[in-house]
Amino acid sequence: KSLDQILPPDLSSSPAAYAQLIQKHQFGFNERIVLLLALMPHICPQALDLLFVKNQNFDRGYTEFGGRKGHTHGGFLPTCETAAFMLAGTDLSKRFEVVRLFEDDHVFTTHGILRLQRPSSNEPFFSSALLISPEYLNKLTTGLDQKPDYNIHFPAKRLTTPLTWKDLVLPSEALEEIEKIKIWLQSSQTILHTWGLVKSLKPGYRSLFYGPPGTGKTLTACLIGVSAGVDVYRIDLSSVISKYIGETEKNLANVFDQAQTKNWILFFDEADALFGKRFQATNSNDRHANQEIAYLLQRVEDFPGVVILASNLKANIDEAFSRRFQSMIYFPMPDANERLQLWQTMLNGHIPLDPAISLEQLAENYQLSGGAITNVVRYGAISALQAKRDGICQQDLIKGIGKELQKEGKTF
């Protein structure tokens, strides 16, 4: 009996994550077989052991079975060739139809369900390893959505914050530009498809946040994600940048590939370390550095989500990137009124304060960023407890301010 004569089970009444995925995308027989094949090494590896059978004429495995061996896994790991054998056998017309399942516009790829680990360029496409993404593996086996976390293969950390927009103090010009990013996240489908601008505009959005340290760039990225209901991932540049030729591009490709089908915001802090200016190449190192920047430019421009770059100095960013930003938002040092608002927000009325403390005077006399004020409040709270006092006094805050100014090389 041919495999395609077997009727797949009716899953319309099943609450399982697998059944819901099948129904959501209206997967047919072929899609189900490929999805189960990718799942098999994780849930029932022995089921594929039969494919280890040897061709006695050549004393090796059957070529048409495909497959590969893992470094530590003892079972049969399927490839696209394995899927083609199961679905098409020796029928060439059906084999060519199987290719459709692995094209870039298929649901398997556009939704990041499956990915192919492609062989070297001189090997057949069907020898690509057939892999299920970690997110869908977890979802289909446990029913839970698992957020990727920092590891050697994913050098990015999800950012979260307990703060709200009320805790962010910025001038109205900056807030207006931030609002545009929020609107894009909420309404990009309307702009691109309902209004028919998809042919003219790329689907992604790129923004540069620049200004002194501690002025709210990271917090703003977090709050944009919260308001849009999307995850924000900060790329760990120390794990991405490599002195070995080609490794930086490989590490970045890994991040972008995993984020390609996710509705994520990618946040590059201290971005000038990666997106710095190109210069006249005088040796192989210069040419390699320029190639890295050119690669970044291409990946950032093609990324369909939101990319936010943060830098202390706008001038450090390569002009080729600058021209492709949809917005460039300046985060200035807060003025006296904004500093007072920051002091009042952080000393939220629950912290016991000496009546002699004048927040107005502190805001007027000391030019501090929001991040610096946070550090001062922390120092003051620790100092008060260290001295076994029930509340923060003026001297605690003054000493904290002195330490922050020293960090910046300023006299107190």
Side-chain angles (χ1 to χ4, degrees), residues 10 63 90 154 197 207 217 229 241 251 282 293 344 390 405:
D10 179 15
T63 305
T90 58
F154 186 69
L197 293 176
S207 183
K217 297 184 286 292
I241 298 174
N251 294 336
T282 58
I293 295 172
Q344 291 171 337
D390 293 332
L405 293 176

Side-chain angles (χ1 to χ4, degrees), residues 9-24:
D10 179 15
L11 302 176
S12 58
S13 60
S14 172
Y18 171 79
Q20 292 175 4
L21 181 67
I22 297 299
Q23 294 176 73
K24 177 181 177 181

Side-chain angles (χ1 to χ4, degrees), residues 78-98:
T79 60
C80 295
E81 190 67 67
T82 314
F85 170 74
M86 288 187 170
L87 296 175
T90 58
D91 188 325
L92 276 181
S93 62
K94 287 185 177 181
R95 182 180 176 87
F96 296 148
E97 289 175 10
V98 172

Side-chain angles (χ1 to χ4, degrees), residues 104-256:
D104 290 341
D105 60 347
H106 192 276
V107 171
F108 281 153
T109 302
T110 59
H111 284 68
I113 300 171
L114 300 181
R115 65 183 181 89
L116 305 182
Q117 191 175 76
R118 299 184 184 263
S120 58
S121 58
N122 59 346
E123 293 187 29
F125 169 80
F126 269 16
S127 60
S128 303
L130 183 61
L131 306 171
I132 187 166
S133 71
E135 293 90 340
Y136 275 91
L137 174 61
N138 191 70
K139 187 171 185 176
L140 295 179
T141 54
T142 69
L144 302 175
D145 287 313
Q146 183 183 38
K147 305 290 185 183
D149 204 357
Y150 180 88
N151 60 62
I152 191 171
H153 302 295
F154 186 69
K157 184 73 176 177
R158 189 163 69 98
L159 296 179
T160 58
T161 180
L163 303 179
T164 67
W165 289 106
K166 292 180 180 179
D167 299 298
L168 181 66
V169 178
L170 288 175
S172 58
E173 296 84 357
L175 291 172
E176 185 178 344
E177 288 297 318
I178 292 165
E179 186 65 25
K180 287 181 171 61
I181 302 177
K182 293 165 60 180
I183 291 173
W184 173 265
L185 281 165
Q186 295 164 2
S187 308
S188 60
Q189 294 305 306
T190 298
I191 294 170
L192 293 173
H193 300 288
T194 306
W195 292 0
L197 293 176
V198 66
K199 294 181 180 179
S200 306
L201 304 179
K202 286 184 176 289
Y205 193 101
R206 293 156 289 282
S207 183
L208 173 66
F209 293 177
Y210 68 99
T215 49
K217 297 184 286 292
T218 302
L219 175 58
T220 299
C222 287
L223 293 176
I224 290 172
V226 171
S227 64
V230 301
D231 292 327
V232 181
Y233 280 89
R234 176 167 55 195
I235 312 304
D236 182 2
L237 298 185
S238 65
S239 297
V240 167
I241 298 174
S242 173
K243 64 180 179 180
Y244 298 107
I245 292 177
E247 281 299 306
T248 299
E249 292 93 327
K250 180 181 176 181
N251 294 336
L252 282 166
N254 192 21
V255 174
F256 277 108

Side-chain angles (χ1 to χ4, degrees), residues 13 29 34-35 119 122 159 180 182 230 272 283 338 367 373 400:
S13 60
F29 180 86
V34 171
L35 184 57
N122 59 346
L159 296 179
K180 287 181 171 61
K182 293 165 60 180
V230 301
D272 33 343
N283 55 48
E338 291 166 343
Q367 295 184 3
I373 292 175

